[in-house]
Amino acid sequence: MTQNNRLFGILVPVISVLLGLLAGAIIMLVSGYSPIEGYAALWNGAFGDAFTIGETIRRITPLILTGLAVAFAFRSGLFNIGAEGQVIVGWLAAVWVGLAVDAPMILHLPLVLIVAMLAGALWGFVPGLLKAKLGVHEVIVTIMMNYIALFITNEIIRNVLTEQETTTEAIPATASLASEWLQTLTFFSRMHYGILVALFAAIIMWFIVQRTTIGYELKAVGFNQHASRYAGMNVSKNIILSMVISGAFAGLAGAMEGVGTYGTISVMSGFTNLGFDGIAVALLGSNNALGVVLAAILFGVLKEGAGQMPTSAGVPTELVDIIIALIIFFVASSYIIRWFLLRFKKEGK
Amino acid sequence: MDYVIEMLNIRKEFPGIVANDNITVQVKQGEIHALLGENGAGKSTLMNVLFGLYQPEQGEIRVKGQKVNITNPNIANDFGIGMVHQHFMLVEPFTVTQNIILGSEPTTKSGKINIKKAEREIQELSDRYGLKVDPTAKISDISVGMQQRVEILKTLYRGAEVLIFDEPTAVLTPQEINELIEIMRSLIKEGKSIILITHKLKEIMEVCDRCTVIRKGKGIGTVNIKDTTTNELASLMVGREVSFHTEKKKAVPGQTILEIENLFVKDARKVDLVKGLNLEVKAGEIVGIAGVDGNGQSELIEAITGLRKANSGSIKLNNKSITNLNPRKVTESGLGHIPQDRHKYGLVLDYPVAENMVLQTYYKKPYSKATVLNFKEVYDKAESLIKEYDVRTPSASTLARALSGGNQQKAIIGREVDRSPDLLIAAQPTRGLDVGAIEFIHKKLIEERDKGKAILLVSFELDEIMDVSDRIAVMFDGKIVANVTPENTNEQQLGLLMAGSQLSEAGVHNDSE
């Protein structure tokens, strides 16, 4: 039974992805593009040379963290739509501390990352508190918090960090995750040490959820609040804690952009979408750490590879968005795939 | 005599198990036929086969002698088979009539629902069978017993000739059970046939004509009720001799463990449900709280265990106040709690059995150290509890959800008793369980009593209260209205007290005076 479930857990996302790619191919055919050329361009765009591989990894990094953020909250039954806002405040906090503090790297960089996590955690704490104490639904509050984050951040960039500029100065090297070695290795891509941070965070998430009493309580609250209260757990505390840890992961994702990829923060006209993509990554990765890493890789590859499709194969980037949307669609409707698999097994007997 | 329903040599397999192995049930026209078996014996599977939800691998079904192929519940309906489910399928904000016609609404010529016509028909049906249902009442306003009658009316409205009752008395008070039995008799009088799924032997003896026994998926046979005894039925069902009267020595009460004074508790709607209650439970005795559901029992337990705030009064455990402490503190002061609703409170159904076994102790050594869980210790503990309390589960890593009700309850009891609490609260500990499991649980409660623990038993089953308790406290309208001993009372007197009669009216000697 458990073996069966595990097989299903792997098969369903794989089939979803294949179906999404197939549907994408059909759409390309119908629109008059060659799917083979299109997918070849996608492949080259993601893995063509050292540079593109470096860029792909850079793109995967924050997706892992936002995926972990959403997945973590989900384990305790909370839907954190606010990863987006938490990314933005994390990004802002990282750059701010990067610029404001003078310290050797061994202190400066950890400080930057910790403050980014705290900022994200604060942004998760508010909806967690409102949910735990007043029963306000976290989806509504986190959506609102996204807008608050976006506009406050823009305001601070314009009026606090700069004088009516749209972009801050670059952070000093002591606060940067950028790596000359990685850049040289990947032909001057923007790849940085953040990928190690993200993978480490995935291990932390796995450990907390699967191996500690904290995870035991968080999952219990997610499954059954009544039984959790009966067992003496503090349900309110666990709801808040779950949102705080979730926010910290997302804040860290913001730091990846702030002190890893860009080294600055600019006024944003809209959302980064990293947080929203995190929802899809968590869903595709069935809310566990390894699954999230794999799903983030897939997302990063598709997004990065997409850049090549218009230039090499003439396929519009919108099509890649459609393919990703289709993959999510098939994952979300995995019930149908499950049903087919079960039927297939029955007949095979 | 003609058979109205025949299920011949039915076999139904699921991956890895045979749920029904060569079972034959033949129901005569106009009889009440009991289907008796332990939890997980395969009764529900068999009825789901009859109702068209499952297809049997072997065997055939005949309706009035004709071989039929029932592939879905609509076909079962067409053959006049109706099911009264244990968990009601009713839309709460709808009226009785709206619920009954749902799915087959009578319409006027213009296409409007003809609710007046439906109400008339339902009123007629209700009168004919003595159901006393008001067709215009809202479901959310009527009692559980009434809701069940609406389910019965629903099947009758759809033309059912054979009614399947799935554990119908599990949710009813003793008075409602008597009324249901009357209703079943009037159904038979009007020419209906009834299949009664149950594991309550008393009801079978009282109301049924014949009984088919199923044990571990196998058909054991069919007996005439007038030729058998409760004991024979029980041993057929369990496969060994069962004792109903729990053997126990006289209680030797020690010091007071639980002391409640002038307790007031409000429910979620801010209405006082416990109103100045006083209660004492001593070491080495089992105090049973008898009462009709809704007289404040749940609120009382929740207040003791810290799940609900007490508005005033005091609760002392071992002479220390535990009033309004949080559940963890109460538990650590020496309280074990077998909750009334095992799915809602007792278990995290999506956790493995092993992780449920440490639900109250996971944060302590050796199960965890500095917040890191030690799964080896958790599983070792679980394995030993599974063995000691005879929890039948494929493994300790099986989800609690997959266990039968009796085994879930044994797991909870194992967990709570193993911590060796000074006070054990057992709320409806045997609800929905079969005689084998009931016997086991009663034995465990008495064992704990003999070890000098205080036990507070809350039950709506008078049999259980009479059988297990050393002292009975009758609860009515938020207060303990009488303290009696099982030797000095009987079920009738208890029933009167539970309905609010004074001791003198009920003719009971009050032991507390």
Side-chain angles (χ1 to χ4, degrees):
Chain A
M1 200 60 195
T2 46
Q3 212 176 358
N4 238 333
N5 281 340
R6 201 166 298 163
L7 184 69
F8 259 54
I10 299 165
L11 260 186
V12 170
V14 168
I15 292 177
S16 312
V17 169
L18 291 178
L19 283 173
L21 290 174
L22 185 70
I26 292 169
I27 291 172
M28 275 191 262
L29 265 182
V30 170
S31 332
Y33 305 104
S34 156
I36 297 170
E37 271 179 44
Y39 284 137
L42 181 75
W43 179 265
N44 286 331
F47 304 111
D49 52 37
F51 175 80
T52 54
I53 291 176
E55 281 293 306
T56 304
I57 292 173
R58 171 197 74 76
R59 207 183 267 271
I60 291 166
T61 304
L63 287 175
I64 293 176
L65 288 163
T66 52
L68 291 175
V70 176
F72 194 89
F74 212 83
R75 292 310 280 270
S76 42
L78 297 166
F79 203 6
N80 180 14
I81 310 276
E84 183 63 42
Q86 293 146 15
V87 166
I88 295 173
V89 295
W91 188 336
L92 174 73
V95 173
W96 197 340
V97 175
L99 292 172
V101 176
D102 261 328
M105 189 169 190
I106 195 158
L107 294 174
H108 201 179
L109 186 54
L111 181 71
V112 161
L113 298 182
I114 287 167
V115 172
M117 287 169 74
L118 287 176
L122 175 70
W123 237 248
F125 171 78
V126 175
L129 183 74
L130 290 171
K131 167 89 174 186
K133 297 296 176 197
L134 299 172
V136 187
H137 203 289
E138 75 278 9
V139 166
I140 294 166
V141 182
T142 49
I143 288 175
M144 294 304 149
M145 292 294 286
N146 286 342
Y147 286 99
I148 297 172
L150 178 66
F151 294 122
I152 285 187
T153 300
N154 282 347
E155 186 63 21
I156 289 177
I157 296 168
R158 280 203 193 93
N159 294 321
V160 182
L161 294 182
T162 71
E163 286 180 15
Q164 299 300 321
E165 304 277 335
T166 53
T167 301
T168 63
E169 293 168 46
I171 49 153
T174 51
S176 177
L177 278 167
S179 145
E180 216 167 292
W181 174 65
L182 284 175
Q183 285 173 353
T184 336
L185 205 67
T186 59
F187 207 68
F188 300 104
S189 77
R190 289 171 294 172
M191 185 179 171
H192 52 84
Y193 284 127
I195 186 68
L196 301 178
V197 175
L199 291 175
F200 184 66
I203 293 169
I204 295 285
M205 145 110 177
W206 169 83
F207 188 77
I208 293 178
V209 170
Q210 302 296 351
R211 286 283 175 265
T212 67
T213 54
I214 303 166
Y216 180 85
E217 288 195 12
L218 288 171
K219 282 185 290 177
V221 168
F223 284 135
N224 184 343
Q225 293 198 0
H226 297 287
S228 306
R229 275 192 66 212
Y230 157 86
M233 299 171 193
N234 184 337
V235 172
S236 298
K237 186 196 93 183
N238 275 292
I239 287 174
I240 296 171
L241 183 67
S242 171
M243 284 303 289
V244 163
I245 296 177
S246 171
F249 278 126
L252 199 54
M256 296 301 107
E257 300 295 85
V259 301
T261 304
Y262 297 102
T264 60
I265 185 164
S266 304
V267 170
M268 299 174 205
S269 57
F271 289 122
T272 65
N273 278 334
L274 286 170
F276 297 130
D277 287 343
I279 298 170
V281 168
L283 183 66
L284 191 64
S286 38
N287 298 313
N288 74 57
L290 180 64
V292 163
V293 171
L294 295 176
I297 291 173
L298 177 79
F299 260 67
V301 166
L302 287 174
K303 293 227 153 180
E304 189 61 34
Q308 195 83 20
M309 287 174 82
T311 45
S312 306
V315 184
T317 41
E318 285 83 355
L319 189 59
V320 177
D321 290 336
I322 293 176
I323 295 171
I324 293 176
L326 283 169
I327 291 169
I328 298 165
F329 172 80
F330 281 112
V331 172
S333 52
S334 65
Y335 170 77
I336 301 169
I337 297 169
R338 253 166 227 277
W339 185 77
F340 269 109
L341 280 175
L342 278 175
R343 216 186 130 110
F344 188 69
K345 257 176 43 188
K346 239 184 193 170
E347 279 170 8
K349 230 196 242 167
Chain B
M1 190 59 141
D2 293 334
Y3 292 117
V4 57
I5 296 280
E6 291 172 272
M7 300 183 77
L8 304 173
N9 308 316
I10 300 291
R11 181 182 176 89
K12 175 70 201 164
E13 290 171 31
F14 293 109
I17 46 162
V18 182
N20 289 162
D21 185 5
N22 201 17
I23 300 180
T24 294
V25 183
Q26 293 170 303
V27 182
K28 289 179 187 168
Q29 170 66 41
E31 75 168 345
I32 303 183
H33 193 110
L35 201 56
L36 175 68
E38 290 186 278
N39 291 306
K43 294 170 297 195
S44 303
T45 307
L46 188 68
M47 284 303 109
N48 283 335
V49 167
L50 179 59
F51 209 55
L53 291 166
Y54 295 142
Q55 301 306 308
E57 264 80 40
Q58 276 172 33
E60 62 180 58
I61 299 172
R62 291 187 192 167
V63 176
K64 293 180 181 152
Q66 295 282 309
K67 186 173 181 232
V68 295
N69 197 6
I70 302 177
T71 48
N72 70 52
N74 291 335
I75 297 179
N77 270 329
D78 294 343
F79 284 120
I81 301 169
M83 181 103 139
V84 178
H85 294 276
Q86 185 177 1
H87 302 283
F88 306 146
M89 317 255 177
L90 297 170
V91 185
E92 293 243 318
F94 275 18
T95 67
V96 169
T97 304
Q98 285 171 323
N99 266 286
I100 290 174
I101 61 176
L102 198 64
S104 56
E105 301 87 353
T107 50
T108 60
K109 274 182 199 136
S110 60
K112 251 178 70 185
I113 294 178
N114 195 341
I115 205 96
K116 286 273 167 275
K117 178 169 169 253
E119 273 172 8
R120 255 194 333 271
E121 287 174 5
I122 289 163
Q123 188 68 58
E124 273 171 36
L125 276 175
S126 168
D127 292 346
R128 170 138 52 113
Y129 297 99
L131 294 175
K132 299 188 187 115
V133 171
D134 172 11
T136 58
K138 250 193 201 167
I139 296 297
S140 49
D141 296 339
I142 62 179
S143 69
V144 172
M146 268 303 165
Q147 293 182 10
Q148 186 174 56
R149 296 182 191 186
V150 175
E151 286 282 354
I152 297 172
L153 268 177
K154 214 155 96 178
T155 63
L156 293 173
Y157 185 80
R158 284 165 168 66
E161 290 298 320
V162 180
L163 284 83
I164 306 168
F165 282 83
D166 186 3
E167 305 276 357
T169 58
V171 290
L172 301 182
T173 61
Q175 275 75 12
E176 286 175 322
I177 291 175
N178 288 335
E179 288 167 16
L180 177 67
I181 287 173
E182 282 313 306
I183 291 168
M184 289 167 96
R185 290 200 173 121
S186 75
L187 286 168
I188 295 302
K189 218 177 286 164
E190 294 283 331
K192 309 284 182 194
S193 312
I194 293 176
I195 301 176
L196 176 65
I197 306 176
T198 186
H199 46 239
K200 290 191 185 166
L201 300 163
K202 214 174 98 186
E203 285 157 17
I204 295 180
M205 294 306 290
E206 190 174 347
V207 71
C208 294
D209 301 302
R210 296 192 309 145
C211 172
T212 298
V213 183
I214 299 176
R215 190 199 312 152
K216 289 179 184 153
K218 291 199 171 62
I220 299 300
T222 303
V223 292
N224 281 318
I225 294 301
K226 59 175 190 290
D227 305 333
T228 188
T229 63
T230 318
N231 282 318
E232 191 193 354
L233 281 181
S235 49
L236 278 176
M237 167 164 83
V238 185
R240 61 181 165 80
E241 289 292 318
V242 182
S243 74
F244 288 95
H245 280 281
T246 324
E247 294 297 317
K248 60 175 189 195
K249 294 178 289 193
K250 193 143 179 46
V252 197
Q255 76 210 69
T256 302
I257 299 289
L258 176 71
E259 195 179 357
I260 300 176
E261 273 170 13
N262 205 21
L263 183 71
F264 282 83
V265 186
K266 288 187 198 304
D267 70 355
R269 294 165 303 166
K270 309 266 176 235
V271 180
D272 271 326
L273 279 199
V274 177
K275 307 170 184 172
L277 178 137
N278 295 296
L279 181 69
E280 220 182 66
V281 185
K282 295 193 165 77
E285 71 168 349
I286 300 178
V287 174
I289 293 193
V292 179
D293 193 5
N295 275 287
Q297 296 95 324
S298 307
E299 287 72 20
L300 169 65
I301 296 173
E302 287 173 359
I304 301 173
T305 52
L307 289 166
R308 185 182 290 278
K309 282 253 170 303
N311 292 85
S312 65
S314 84
I315 307 168
K316 281 189 202 155
L317 184 62
N318 283 327
N319 247 335
K320 279 195 208 111
S321 171
I322 55 163
T323 324
N324 290 339
L325 290 185
N326 66 40
R328 165 92 20 112
K329 291 235 171 75
V330 175
T331 303
E332 287 178 344
S333 318
L335 179 131
H337 177 198
I338 300 163
Q340 179 172 339
D341 189 333
R342 56 178 163 264
H343 287 175
K344 194 170 168 188
Y345 286 102
L347 296 166
V348 178
L349 290 173
D350 293 303
Y351 266 170
V353 175
E355 292 183 32
N356 271 296
M357 288 295 200
V358 294
L359 201 56
Q360 306 269 29
T361 46
Y362 65 92
Y363 59 94
K364 289 183 182 161
K365 282 180 189 172
Y367 310 115
S368 67
K369 224 162 110 184
T371 81
V372 179
L373 286 164
N374 184 338
F375 281 97
K376 189 175 173 306
E377 291 288 346
V378 171
Y379 274 81
D380 282 353
K381 183 80 216 175
E383 300 283 359
S384 81
L385 286 176
I386 286 169
K387 221 161 149 197
E388 189 181 342
Y389 289 85
D390 187 32
V391 181
R392 294 189 201 147
T393 170
S395 77
S397 58
T398 306
L399 294 188
R401 185 181 291 289
L403 268 56
S404 72
N407 286 308
Q408 290 174 341
Q409 191 72 341
K410 284 193 227 166
I412 294 172
I413 288 171
R415 178 183 74 208
E416 296 304 308
V417 170
D418 184 65
R419 291 189 291 116
S420 190
D422 297 328
L423 172 69
L424 184 63
I425 297 182
Q428 297 263 70
T430 59
R431 183 191 214 174
L433 304 187
D434 54 69
V435 283
I438 291 174
E439 188 191 14
F440 178 88
I441 287 164
H442 287 170
K443 241 189 222 157
K444 281 287 168 194
L445 291 181
I446 289 163
E447 257 176 57
E448 284 305 296
R449 179 202 75 167
D450 291 343
K451 282 186 208 156
K453 309 293 181 189
I455 316 264
L456 181 64
L457 170 72
V458 178
S459 177
F460 306 137
E461 307 273 352
L462 284 184
D463 289 352
E464 180 165 53
I465 293 279
M466 293 287 283
D467 199 32
V468 181
S469 313
D470 300 311
R471 197 151 65 74
I472 300 174
V474 182
M475 190 159 177
F476 174 73
D477 194 26
K479 284 194 277 280
I480 301 297
V481 292
N483 277 294
V484 294
T485 53
E487 296 80 34
N488 290 332
T489 187
N490 58 40
E491 291 200 11
Q492 253 159 343
Q493 288 177 333
L494 273 184
L496 284 170
L497 288 170
M498 284 159 60
S501 301
Q502 296 302 309
L503 277 173
S504 51
E505 294 168 41
V508 188
H509 168 73
N510 192 346
D511 291 299
S512 63
E513 279 160 16

